[in-house]
Amino acid sequence: MDLVLKVWRQDGPGLPGRMERYEAKGVSPDVSFLELLDQVNDQLVRAGKEPIAFEHDCREGICGSCSMMIDGAAHGPKRGTTACQLHMRHFHDGQEITVEPWRAAAFPVIRDLVIDRTAFDRIIAAGGFVSVNTGSAVDGNTIPVPKEIADVAMDAAACIGCGACVAACPNAAAMLFTAAKIAHLNRLPQGVPERDRRVRAMVDQMDAEGFGSCTNHYECTEACPKEIPVRFIAEMNRAYAKAALSAPVETGDRGGHG
Ligand code: SF4
Ligand code: FES
């Protein structure tokens, strides 16, 4: 396949960017989108030019680092798929493809397609953990968890923290990500003691990072490579309201999360 890529190039944070056009010839339909970028980068390096900066790690759909907009869609046109697992057979010969970084104020561009996703780390640091001592792995496994609860917790834990939900949302909301993390931990016996504190701290941090609120567009779940369902957002809103009512804080509560 012969393809044309129009890629966002930006030399650093806060600098003006531009779209640059590259031709990729003889691309195998079996390579992934990241391997296509590798091929273009080889050409650039051979020509003495700066390669396109993009993030990647696992290349098997589990680390969440390969974030990019492909033809205006987070992770590209195929549902439930990360950019690293998107193969060129889903495009056609001669196609022109635009590639851009996530666009959200809370995810500033570092360079080209690489964005700063540390806002997600700070949401996790606010409460996305279990601080009770569960002992060794063996002790932890002796706590019985009903299968129905384990199954839903596992569905929520499938979130890979990629940020596609934010990039796809017209409000740049991070509610699907935050809700998935809360849904995972809050329903497990090890996570229950800190349930109320967790939901309040994580939602408040999400707001403080400048993410928007959900207005039910459902673009997040459409773009999510793990197809995390939006019902976790409703669950988070109920848990937040319940926690706020049971222990109001002096700093004033934020309302209207969705
Ligand atoms: S909810 Fe989905 S789209 Fe959002 S960060 Fe998690 S895996 Fe990525
Ligand atoms: S590189 Fe890890 S999910 Fe794509």
Side-chain angles (χ1 to χ4, degrees):
M1 304 167 78
D2 292 343
L3 300 159
V4 173
L5 292 188
K6 292 202 289 194
V7 184
W8 180 259
R9 303 300 309 263
Q10 182 173 329
D11 297 336
L15 295 176
R18 67 215 171 266
M19 297 301 281
E20 284 192 3
R21 188 177 184 281
Y22 306 107
E23 287 183 8
K25 294 198 184 295
V27 176
S28 162
D30 297 326
V31 300
S32 72
F33 204 85
L34 300 195
E35 287 166 330
L36 167 68
L37 291 179
D38 290 339
Q39 186 173 327
V40 171
N41 274 348
D42 280 348
Q43 288 170 206
L44 289 171
V45 170
R46 274 198 299 273
K49 295 186 177 152
E50 196 63 39
I52 302 158
F54 66 95
E55 255 193 290
H56 59 100
D57 187 5
C58 70
R59 296 200 177 208
E60 55 184 21
I62 54 172
C63 76
S65 63
C66 58
S67 44
M68 58 190 76
M69 301 296 285
I70 301 169
D71 272 348
H75 288 298
K78 193 162 182 294
R79 251 202 118 190
T81 306
T82 53
C84 61
Q85 291 286 290
L86 176 66
H87 292 91
M88 298 319 296
R89 54 182 167 271
H90 300 294
F91 297 83
H92 61 78
D93 187 37
Q95 191 167 339
E96 237 183 57
I97 307 166
T98 58
V99 193
E100 299 165 272
W102 286 170
R103 300 286 188 198
F107 287 160
V109 173
I110 295 173
R111 186 180 183 91
D112 298 340
L113 306 177
V114 179
I115 50 104
D116 178 352
R117 223 182 335 233
T118 52
F120 270 12
D121 296 341
R122 290 186 290 274
I123 294 173
I124 294 294
F129 50 83
V130 171
S131 58
V132 291
N133 184 359
T134 55
S136 69
V138 173
D139 292 341
N141 288 342
T142 61
I143 299 171
V145 181
K147 172 135 174 47
E148 316 77 66
I149 291 182
D151 282 351
V152 182
M154 197 65 199
D155 289 347
C159 166
I160 54 174
C162 63
C165 45
V166 176
C169 174
N171 305 328
M175 296 189 77
L176 194 64
F177 163 77
T178 310
K181 300 303 173 193
I182 290 170
H184 162 210
L185 292 170
N186 272 21
R187 60 179 16 88
L188 292 173
Q190 296 92 335
V192 166
E194 294 174 289
R195 189 171 49 191
D196 289 355
R197 193 201 64 76
R198 174 180 302 113
V199 67
R200 296 193 67 176
M202 291 181 74
V203 170
D204 288 348
Q205 187 64 38
M206 176 187 81
D207 284 348
E209 295 293 343
F211 293 108
S213 285
C214 174
T215 49
N216 296 320
H217 287 270
Y218 296 176
E219 295 291 336
C220 54
T221 198
E222 279 294 311
C224 175
K226 299 299 164 186
E227 300 179 300
I228 302 286
V230 285
R231 68 186 154 82
F232 289 137
I233 296 179
E235 187 177 296
M236 176 177 75
N237 286 339
R238 283 194 297 273
Y240 185 90
K242 191 163 157 276
L245 283 173
S246 63
V249 287
E250 55 295 334
T251 48
D253 291 326
R254 297 158 198 267
H257 297 291

